Amino acid sequence: FTCECNTGFLLNSDGATCNDIDECSNGNGGCSQTCTNTPGSFTCECNTGFLLNSDGATCNDINECSEENGGCSQICTNTIGSFNCGCNSGNCNDIDECSVGTHDCSQTCTNTVGSFTCECNNGYLLDADGATC
């Protein structure tokens, strides 16, 4: 008899047991940003501010300014993986989105001039949406 392994596994030298292949160890699994090895496979993920393309491997910058002006009261400037808020002629009053409840952070909201950032408590990771822990 001979043993065979399922896709994503490699037959050990004993000819009877299989080990998972870490696809991420070779060229990051073809992922442009984050590769996570799973039993028999792998997944690609994008950093905050990026969206996974339909190819399941590459990531594109999200233009946060294209929806609701990025939450900015006046000027929104998209940057790679993020955005910045600005003021016309340097004259604007900051709105504390954390205090007025216009943020979408699931745990901790930190106000910044013209925007806010979401953070997670110890033991939690910030999701790619930049808000959910």
Side-chain angles (χ1 to χ4, degrees), residues 1 5 12 24-26 29-30 39 42 57 63 80 100 102 113 129-130:
F1 73 93
C5 299
N12 285 329
C24 298
S25 66
N26 184 14
F42 67 98
N63 182 353
I80 302 300
V100 298
T102 56
V113 176
D129 65 8

Side-chain angles (χ1 to χ4, degrees), residues 103-106 108-110 116-120 126 130-132:
H103 67 88
D104 56 354
C105 302
S106 66
T108 303
C109 178
T110 302
F116 63 93
T117 58
C118 299
E119 298 171 356
C120 300
L126 191 62
T132 308

